[in-house]
């Protein structure tokens, strides 16, 4: 069934053609400007706008994503540009939000929904596990659910419980879901565009403490890269990245832990040690090849994640590396994770989250002497 959603100024009388032209002009100017400082928040916002311009079946909804532009302003300006039929607020009912997105996806639309905070998604967990993850298999492939569930996650913002959970393991454990988590500004744009294009449901985990990090990004090049990927099929999915080359040990991280791993590698370099940093990027599907190639080279590994260590994504990474690299390991694989306690009060989170000192202590424990 084809969607009947209209685009841009046609969608709402309050949206003028001038607004749409201004947005297109701004995009063209950005392409011509070359590398420019950009925050991850703006990269995600631009990815949403570009996807909505490119495909009228893409729509955005959730709590406060409309006129407010989202708690973190990731959807800022989308309602003004595309109208209330394409970007709109919903009641405070996460299960209803996901359920409505399922119905829309079944009927040919590509909903992108925001859960506002990590733990706010838990009321919708039954919908995600029982319907979003299983619909394709349940219908023997007849029904696809091309939808994205955006979840700001992780700590580092001084928030309280229910606002700083690292819930990626729940989704990674649920067969039928893809799980993405960008760690750079460029990947924020690149991976969100790819998630929206996916024919399968994607849980898009956004490291909220990185929303306001800046990097030099060439939006024009990213747009050209995305256009090329739609024809070649080569995307970021299932492809980890070597964030920093090294020779003596491998630090494996994803999302908000990647900058921490890079800081630890920089500190280790001052002591004469060469640590390689791998950015996992997509937890599901997982890139065994890149991760294991690095560990076979270095012989040692530390997995870093903000989430609890027990029964976690970090546990799975250790298991996969051990199974594939056992005869190459010079030392047991170590993990540096959040402690197995509920998320602490803001003043204590610095002790809970993995830090440079804890990572370097783990590196020191990798049996450097035979």
């Amino acid at each position: 069934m084809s969607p009947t959603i209209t685009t841009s100024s046609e969608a709402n009388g309050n949206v003028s053609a001038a607004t749409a032209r201004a947005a297109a002009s701004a995009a063209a100017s950005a392409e011509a400007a070359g590398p420019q400082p950009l925050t991850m928040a703006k990269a995600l916002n631009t990815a949403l706008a570009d996807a909505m311009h490119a495909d009228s079946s893409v729509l955005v909804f959730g709590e406060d994503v409309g006129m407010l532009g989202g708690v973190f302003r990731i959807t800022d300006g989308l309602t003004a540009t595309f109208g209330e039929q394409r970007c709109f607020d919903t009641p405070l009912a996460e299960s209803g939000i996901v359920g409505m997105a399922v119905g829309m996806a079944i009927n040919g639309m590509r909903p992108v929904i925001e859960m506002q905070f990590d733990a706010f998604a838990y009321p919708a967990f039954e919908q995600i596990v029982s319907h979003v993850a299983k619909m394709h298999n349940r219908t023997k492939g007849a029904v696809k659910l091309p939808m994205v569930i955006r979840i700001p996650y992780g700590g580092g913002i001084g928030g309280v419980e229910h606002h700083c959970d690292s819930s990626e393991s729940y989704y990674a454990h649920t067969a039928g879901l893809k799980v993405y988590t960008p760690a750079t500004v460029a990947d924020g744009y690149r991976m969100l565009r790819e998630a929206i294009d996916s024919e399968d449901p994607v849980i898009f985990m956004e490291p909220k403490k990185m929303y306001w990090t800046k990097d030099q990004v060439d939006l024009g090049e990213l747009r050209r890269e995305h256009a090329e990927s739609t024809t070649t099929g080569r995307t970021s999915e299932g492809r980890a990245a070597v964030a920093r080359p090294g020779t003596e040990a491998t630090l494996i991280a994803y999302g908000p832990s990647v900058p921490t791993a890079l800081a630890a590698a920089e500190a280790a370099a001052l002591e004469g040690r060469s640590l390689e940093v791998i950015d996992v990027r997509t937890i599901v599907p997982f890139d065994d090849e890149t991760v294991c190639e690095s560990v076979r080279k270095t012989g040692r590994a530390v997995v870093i994640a903000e989430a609890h260590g027990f029964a976690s994504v970090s546990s799975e990474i250790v298991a996969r590396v051990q199974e594939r690299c056992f005869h190459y390991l010079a030392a047991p694989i170590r993990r540096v994770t959040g402690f197995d306690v509920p998320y602490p009060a803001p003043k204590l989170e610095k002790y809970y989250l993995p830090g440079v000192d804890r990572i370097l202590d783990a590196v020191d424990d990798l049996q450097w002497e035979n």
Side-chain angles (χ1 to χ4, degrees):
M1 177 177 175
S2 299
T4 58
I5 299 296
T6 53
T7 62
S8 194
S9 59
E10 299 172 344
N12 189 292
N14 294 326
V15 183
S16 67
T19 302
R21 287 196 298 271
S25 176
S29 297
E31 286 203 28
Q36 296 289 322
L38 194 72
T39 65
M40 180 175 283
K42 185 60 178 176
L44 295 169
N45 175 268
T46 304
L48 289 170
D50 285 357
M52 295 173 78
H53 274 297
D55 185 350
S56 63
S57 70
V58 177
L59 55 154
V60 175
F61 56 94
E63 299 167 6
D64 295 324
V65 303
M67 297 307 296
L68 179 65
V71 170
F72 298 101
R73 303 300 185 265
I74 307 304
T75 58
D76 187 40
L78 297 183
T79 298
T81 302
F82 297 97
E84 293 180 352
Q85 290 186 356
R86 299 283 305 281
C87 181
F88 55 89
D89 294 327
T90 65
L92 305 183
E94 287 79 9
S95 182
I97 295 170
V98 175
M100 182 166 64
V102 169
M104 288 181 169
I106 288 174
N107 285 282
M109 301 177 192
R110 290 183 177 271
V112 182
I113 59 177
E114 180 181 304
M115 289 287 99
Q116 198 170 83
F117 283 95
D118 27 57
F120 290 13
Y122 297 151
F125 196 64
E126 192 277 333
Q127 285 277 0
I128 295 171
V129 171
S130 296
H131 303 295
V132 175
K134 293 180 172 61
M135 187 65 69
H136 186 72
N137 186 69
R138 180 185 298 145
T139 61
K140 297 182 179 180
V143 176
K144 297 179 180 180
L145 290 184
M147 57 183 288
V148 179
I149 303 176
R150 293 181 40 247
I151 303 178
Y153 83 116
I157 64 166
V160 296
E161 61 178 10
H162 308 308
H163 295 75
C164 293
D165 274 11
S166 293
S167 51
E168 62 271 20
S169 295
Y170 299 123
Y171 306 109
H173 182 73
T174 304
L177 301 175
K178 296 177 179 178
V179 183
Y180 294 7
T181 178
T184 68
V185 174
D187 268 353
Y189 178 92
R190 180 185 293 118
M191 293 170 65
L192 185 52
R193 290 297 307 272
E194 292 171 359
I196 296 170
D197 287 346
S198 174
E199 294 299 320
D200 299 305
V202 178
I203 307 296
F204 197 82
M205 311 291 292
E206 300 172 3
K208 65 172 76 77
K209 74 177 182 184
M210 298 180 65
Y211 276 146
W212 309 116
T213 58
K214 280 188 178 182
D215 202 356
Q216 292 289 324
V217 173
D218 189 336
L219 277 174
E221 179 59 31
L222 286 175
R223 287 175 173 130
R224 287 188 289 272
E225 177 186 293
H226 177 76
E228 182 180 339
S229 72
T230 59
T231 57
T232 64
R234 182 171 173 79
T235 68
S236 303
E237 183 177 291
R239 292 170 56 206
V242 179
R244 179 187 176 108
T247 59
E248 297 179 14
T250 301
L251 306 182
I252 306 167
Y254 58 84
S257 295
V258 172
T260 310
L262 289 169
E266 183 66 27
L270 299 177
E271 300 174 356
R273 291 180 176 176
S274 175
L275 305 182
E276 184 150 294
V277 178
I278 301 295
D279 175 2
V280 170
R281 300 172 90 206
T282 64
I283 297 172
V284 181
F286 187 80
D287 184 357
D288 291 295
E289 182 179 353
T290 300
V291 172
C292 290
E293 181 181 357
S294 175
V295 175
R296 292 185 186 117
K297 177 180 70 174
T298 65
R300 297 172 170 85
V302 177
V303 182
I304 305 152
E306 290 189 7
H308 305 147
F310 186 80
S312 64
V313 170
S314 62
S315 304
E316 176 65 19
I317 294 174
V318 170
R320 298 178 80 88
V321 172
Q322 185 272 339
E323 289 169 355
R324 293 162 174 79
C325 305
F326 181 80
H327 294 291
Y328 294 85
L329 292 174
I333 304 169
R334 294 287 187 259
R335 284 185 297 161
V336 179
T337 68
F339 298 115
D340 291 325
V341 298
Y343 200 85
K347 290 184 178 180
L348 298 176
E349 72 173 355
K350 65 180 179 181
Y351 303 107
Y352 171 87
L353 296 172
V356 169
D357 289 341
R358 285 177 61 196
I359 295 171
L360 293 181
D361 286 345
V363 171
D364 289 339
D365 195 38
L366 289 175
Q367 300 179 15
W368 294 95
E369 299 297 331
N370 293 327

